[in-house]
Amino acid sequence: RTRINIHTISSHTHTHTTIYTQNIYKTNMSRPYRRVASDDSHKLPTSPTSSTSSSPFTSPPKPTKTKAERLSDKLQALGWIIAALLLAYATSLPSTLLTSPLILRPLFHLAIILFCINTILMLYLTVYLPKIVGITTTDDASGVWNVYCPRVIPIMTVCGVGCAFCLVRSTWGVWGFLSPLIWGVEFLGLLFLTHFIPWL
């Protein structure tokens, strides 16, 4: 009976496996190194917004109003202007401010000075900067003003509050508690009048 040496068989098997592995290694090493070309199609897709991303300081474009919205704004502005004119006629505002002895003239004159300062500063922001200097403020006016002239808005705020207080106090002897209401309507009428000025 033939005796099979298991140790000899395993030894031959290990030898053949080692030779086969070495042949594969030599074959792979003998091949020239080929660099895989980069293909743009394998890149991760980028979102459309990433390629057109803007600076964080860039303001989004201002939405354009429709014709109906512009007409509605004009009608509202016209309504406030008519209300201010009717109230001025009912209270005889011009003659009262010029001739009434009940008005505190020093405070009234101070209110006029503060109002003139605000008017000049408003013309500086809305006419001088965009028309003469060439600074456009169509998207973010307050942001541009805070960078180019940061002190104008605080000065206008202080002058506006002081003007309102002086006007109400100086005419309190004429209209009493109705003075804030009357001046509020007149101010809104004057404010909405700018809707009909083309360059503002």
Side-chain angles (χ1 to χ4, degrees):
R1 188 173 58 176
T2 304
R3 297 180 60 185
I4 300 174
N5 193 339
I6 299 176
H7 178 70
T8 302
I9 295 175
S10 63
S11 175
H12 284 292
T13 305
H14 179 68
T15 302
H16 286 294
T17 304
T18 303
I19 294 173
Y20 179 72
T21 304
Q22 290 177 354
N23 290 335
I24 293 177
Y25 180 76
K26 290 180 180 180
T27 303
N28 291 333
M29 290 300 294
S30 62
R31 293 178 180 176
Y33 174 73
R34 185 174 63 88
R35 184 173 182 178
V36 179
S38 60
D39 189 3
D40 293 339
S41 61
H42 296 290
K43 293 181 180 179
L44 293 176
T46 57
S47 60
T49 56
S50 62
S51 59
T52 60
S53 61
S54 58
S55 172
F57 299 101
T58 303
S59 302
K62 190 176 181 180
T64 304
K65 291 185 177 181
T66 62
K67 187 176 181 180
E69 291 175 344
R70 292 195 299 268
L71 181 60
S72 176
D73 293 341
K74 296 295 183 183
L75 291 177
Q76 291 180 13
L78 183 61
W80 279 107
I81 293 172
I82 293 175
L85 291 176
L86 291 177
L87 185 59
Y89 176 78
T91 57
S92 301
L93 186 63
S95 61
T96 301
L97 295 179
L98 293 175
T99 61
S100 177
L102 300 177
I103 294 178
L104 300 177
R105 294 297 168 178
L107 286 178
F108 183 71
H109 294 161
L110 180 59
I112 293 176
I113 293 173
L114 294 176
F115 178 78
C116 291
I117 293 175
N118 261 8
T119 303
I120 293 172
L121 292 178
M122 185 187 68
L123 293 175
Y124 171 78
L125 294 176
T126 58
V127 178
Y128 178 77
L129 290 183
K131 302 298 182 181
I132 299 177
V133 180
I135 298 177
T136 58
T137 58
T138 54
D139 292 339
D140 188 8
S142 61
V144 175
W145 294 340
N146 290 332
V147 173
Y148 189 79
C149 45
R151 297 181 181 179
V152 172
I153 299 301
I155 292 175
M156 290 184 67
T157 303
V158 174
C159 291
V161 173
C163 178
F165 173 78
C166 292
L167 283 177
V168 172
R169 182 63 187 89
S170 63
T171 57
W172 189 270
V174 181
W175 298 308
F177 64 92
L178 293 178
S179 297
L181 178 62
I182 293 173
W183 284 117
V185 174
E186 297 300 325
F187 171 75
L188 289 176
L190 184 61
L191 179 65
F192 282 106
L193 184 63
T194 58
H195 279 252
F196 300 94
I197 301 178
W199 58 83
L200 293 180

